[in-house]
Amino acid sequence: YFLVLDSPLSEAGVLGFEYGYSSAAPHILTLWEAQFGDFANGAQVIIDTYIAAGESKWQRASGLVMLLPHGYEGQGPEHSSARLERFLQLCGDDNLQVVVPTTAAQYFHVLRRQMRRPFRKPLVVMTPKSLLRFPPSSSSLAELAEGRFETVLPDPVPLGPEEVRSVALCSGKVFYDLAKARQDRPAREVAIVRVEEIHPFPEKELRSALERYPEATDVVWVQEEPMNMGAWSYIAPRLTPLIGADRSLRY
């Protein structure tokens, strides 16, 4: 069955209820969606005390899904950010899953994975509103029916490994801005790789993606947010040992 309930405008109260519900009914997919990602601000105490730390403190597993619209889309400073950096600062010992899917199939498969896994972990999904009606982010029925959630998506453009000099790593809808800019130039010396799951950090998959371009000496992390926000402070120390001594990493 599918049940939709209106809720009071109290983020702390509602998210606390949903956390408890997800703990009591682990076989039901429980999702809490903020109208804007920053609505999580009003529920921060629930996130810090229960969702991020409940398993460690009380051995209580939760498969709660938090859908947080996130992206610089002209809504102003408050409604632009779900504070991705706050969630990444709460991550440790695989207590949370933090993902930023860029296609409909990726979104579907990460929700399906959430229920098919033999364990329960809270899932934080950064969901840009603009991608809801953005044709390039749509997926075919075959992509929805087959495959699985990929933590790292390779460049969809077939580039020769010998011609790539720079690899742009990104997460979220900024990928489509980069892809359009590359198409407009064009610039085939730049490969664009998407990091769809930020935590747990996909070290193996990222290493494999970077190894595809042995001639690339420049690795860039691209994000919409300023340097002190977003994923950069989390990503940088984890990427540095992956890229090797002969490559540079920059923001």
Side-chain angles (χ1 to χ4, degrees):
Y1 65 94
F2 184 71
L3 186 64
V4 178
L5 298 176
D6 289 332
S7 60
L9 192 59
S10 170
E11 286 78 24
V14 175
L15 188 57
F17 174 86
E18 302 293 9
Y19 170 78
Y21 193 92
S22 70
S23 298
H27 300 296
I28 291 178
L29 180 63
T30 304
L31 305 98
W32 178 79
E33 181 175 28
Q35 183 179 3
F36 290 95
D38 64 278
F39 278 38
N41 289 342
Q44 197 68 47
V45 65
I46 301 296
I47 297 167
D48 292 350
T49 306
Y50 295 91
I51 296 174
E55 184 176 357
S56 175
K57 290 193 292 187
W58 305 303
Q59 291 74 57
R60 293 292 296 170
S62 168
L64 178 64
V65 179
M66 297 179 60
L67 306 175
L68 305 179
H70 174 81
Y72 284 57
E73 299 176 326
Q75 297 288 348
E78 187 183 16
H79 284 344
S80 294
S81 177
R83 302 302 179 191
L84 172 60
E85 63 277 2
R86 291 184 187 172
F87 290 95
L88 294 176
Q89 288 166 358
L90 289 171
C91 289
D93 296 328
D94 296 337
N95 63 327
L96 296 174
Q97 307 166 88
V98 180
V99 303
V100 193
T102 54
T103 70
Q106 282 283 91
Y107 179 45
F108 169 75
H109 285 301
V110 79
L111 294 180
R112 184 173 181 269
R113 182 186 75 169
Q114 184 72 355
M115 295 309 296
R116 288 188 58 83
R117 281 183 158 177
F119 58 87
R120 294 290 176 258
K121 296 280 185 180
L123 173 64
V124 180
V125 187
M126 298 286 159
T127 53
K129 286 189 172 184
S130 63
L131 296 191
L132 288 172
R133 298 177 178 86
F134 188 56
S137 69
S138 62
S139 299
S140 65
L141 288 176
E143 289 170 324
L144 290 164
E146 302 169 2
R148 61 187 179 91
F149 176 72
E150 301 291 344
T151 58
V152 174
L153 287 180
D155 198 320
V157 176
L159 300 172
E162 69 286 345
E163 63 182 327
V164 173
R165 295 293 181 267
S166 180
V167 179
L169 300 173
C170 64
S171 191
K173 74 182 187 67
V174 72
F175 162 75
Y176 295 103
D177 298 326
L178 293 173
K180 184 178 185 305
R182 182 177 61 181
Q183 183 180 10
D184 291 344
R185 290 191 179 182
R188 292 186 61 84
E189 74 278 4
V190 179
I192 308 172
V193 176
R194 281 169 281 180
V195 183
E196 300 277 293
E197 180 171 78
I198 304 177
H199 185 87
F201 183 67
E203 178 179 345
K204 178 182 177 182
E205 292 80 2
L206 267 176
R207 189 188 301 275
S208 176
L210 291 171
E211 287 175 350
R212 295 182 184 182
Y213 308 107
E215 302 300 321
T217 57
D218 184 39
V219 179
V220 188
W221 175 259
V222 185
Q223 64 181 33
E224 293 183 298
E225 303 94 334
M227 185 182 287
N228 65 316
M229 297 166 60
W232 170 248
S233 59
Y234 173 91
I235 287 285
R238 291 165 173 82
L239 266 181
T240 300
L242 292 184
I243 64 174
D246 56 340
R247 287 172 166 171
S248 61
L249 173 64
R250 58 192 178 92
Y251 166 87

